[in-house]
Amino acid sequence: MKQYEYKFVKFNIETGFNYDKKITDLETQWNALGEQGWEFCRDGDGFSVFIREHSAAEGF
């Protein structure tokens, strides 16, 4: 049976009007999570949820 783990992430976005920088910063953070095997699941109230399949070899 597949097992999953979840990660709740509150992203630290600098305030200000530089929308392009905010998007670039988020893209960098999300790509780093993707490289670790995390997939976007859904948005919450001020956070995002990511999911990845848990390897049986790692133990749970």
Side-chain angles (χ1 to χ4, degrees):
M1 183 167 100
K2 291 183 179 182
Q3 294 183 332
Y4 297 92
E5 58 183 329
Y6 298 86
K7 184 177 204 72
F8 290 72
V9 179
K10 180 178 178 186
F11 290 101
N12 296 322
I13 306 299
E14 293 182 25
T15 58
F17 298 103
N18 190 341
Y19 186 74
D20 291 334
K21 181 178 180 339
K22 289 179 186 182
I23 294 299
T24 300
D25 289 349
L26 276 175
E27 185 176 85
T28 299
Q29 292 175 48
W30 279 46
N31 282 330
L33 288 167
E35 289 173 5
Q36 297 170 25
W38 292 103
E39 294 182 42
F40 173 74
C41 183
R42 66 167 300 182
D43 277 329
D45 185 17
F47 63 90
S48 295
V49 182
F50 293 81
I51 185 173
R52 70 178 172 188
E53 189 172 342
H54 193 281
S55 170
E58 296 174 17
F60 200 44

